Amino acid sequence: MKPHYKLVCDYVFSDKKINQYSDSEQMTLNLAIDVLTTHGMGGKFMERLIQAKYRLADDGEIHGWDGKTKQNRPVEIKTETVNDSKKLFCEASYAKNTENTPSKKNLYLRETPILINSGICNDTGKCIYVMFTDTLKLNPNSKLFDMLDRKSPRINFGHWCGEPNAFDVKYKNPELVDKHYYSMREELRKELNNVARLPI
């Protein structure tokens, strides 16, 4: 892991406060926080941090995916940031399905990716939670696949929250879950509340 990624991951995936770092580290972290809390930029940066934290390969050989696991499973990473217009709910959108592109539903059923969802705090840039969903464990008739088959695919946790064997919360920041409790939909709040404090 690159040194600056290691530093940013140490801050983003922890309950540490920025004043616990050296002056030079704080300068690096403040730049990272600016990016993480900027609409349209934070999500892409968080994808990179998740790749680094969970050692997901991104070697340029992956077509259309955000990484792959050690078992060579493709990975799709979706992030959302706390805002006033909608509540966190593992929501994600995809490029339109067209006659010239394979259906996202068929792609997911064929390549069985790991879907990773995360939430970002809009004040601190810290990660609120990370959830892994193994699409291989979803029912082939799952609502998630139906949504991926639409012309303009949009998904949210409500489409697969009834299949608990398929998803796993890998990380949560309890302080931020409490802080943003009412910025999340009930189904997501319930799932995060069911998870004990995870090691940081």
Side-chain angles (χ1 to χ4, degrees):
M1 187 187 300
K2 296 178 181 178
H4 63 285
Y5 271 36
K6 185 174 182 180
L7 170 64
V8 178
C9 279
D10 183 70
Y11 166 78
V12 167
F13 298 103
S14 77
D15 54 5
K16 289 183 180 179
K17 309 303 181 189
I18 197 165
N19 60 10
Q20 294 177 248
Y21 295 88
S22 70
D23 289 347
S24 62
E25 289 174 332
Q26 286 185 42
M27 288 180 63
T28 299
L29 289 174
N30 279 322
L31 290 172
I33 292 167
D34 283 346
V35 174
L36 285 163
T37 56
T38 299
H39 180 72
M41 296 174 61
K44 283 296 180 185
F45 190 21
M46 183 60 80
E47 284 182 18
R48 291 292 185 180
L49 297 177
I50 288 172
Q51 287 173 350
K53 178 173 175 60
Y54 294 102
R55 296 185 171 90
L56 303 171
D58 181 16
D59 57 6
E61 298 177 0
I62 304 158
H63 301 289
W65 300 110
D66 297 318
K68 64 182 178 181
T69 67
K70 291 180 180 178
Q71 296 74 35
N72 286 319
R73 296 279 299 281
V75 171
E76 183 94 67
I77 303 174
K78 297 293 187 180
T79 67
E80 55 183 348
T81 303
V82 172
N83 65 66
D84 295 331
S85 63
K86 66 182 181 66
K87 295 187 176 184
L88 298 182
F89 199 33
C90 298
E91 289 192 1
S93 58
Y94 296 76
K96 288 184 177 181
N97 287 317
T98 70
E99 294 179 359
N100 300 319
T101 58
S103 158
K104 301 298 185 301
K105 174 183 179 178
N106 293 338
L107 186 66
Y108 266 55
L109 288 171
R110 183 176 71 246
E111 300 198 23
T112 61
I114 303 295
L115 174 63
I116 301 178
N117 295 91
S118 72
I120 306 171
C121 173
N122 59 339
D123 295 322
T124 63
K126 284 180 173 287
C127 183
I128 303 171
Y129 68 89
V130 178
M131 181 188 293
F132 280 43
T133 300
D134 187 343
T135 60
L136 185 60
K137 295 181 179 179
L138 290 173
N139 187 308
N141 296 318
S142 173
K143 180 74 171 178
L144 171 65
F145 298 129
D146 288 340
M147 300 305 294
L148 289 173
D149 205 29
R150 295 191 173 188
K151 184 175 181 180
S152 298
R154 290 188 65 85
I155 63 170
N156 63 57
F157 187 47
H159 299 142
W160 72 93
C161 64
E163 301 185 62
N165 291 332
F167 60 83
D168 183 25
V169 177
K170 296 291 187 182
Y171 171 83
K172 82 167 185 177
N173 183 313
E175 180 181 343
L176 292 179
V177 169
D178 288 344
K179 176 180 178 179
H180 297 296
Y181 189 78
Y182 292 106
S183 296
M184 294 183 279
R185 289 279 295 274
E186 182 179 357
E187 296 91 335
L188 181 58
R189 293 201 307 257
K190 179 181 177 182
E191 189 56 41
L192 293 176
N193 280 340
N194 286 338
V195 178
R197 182 186 178 92
L198 297 174
I200 289 185

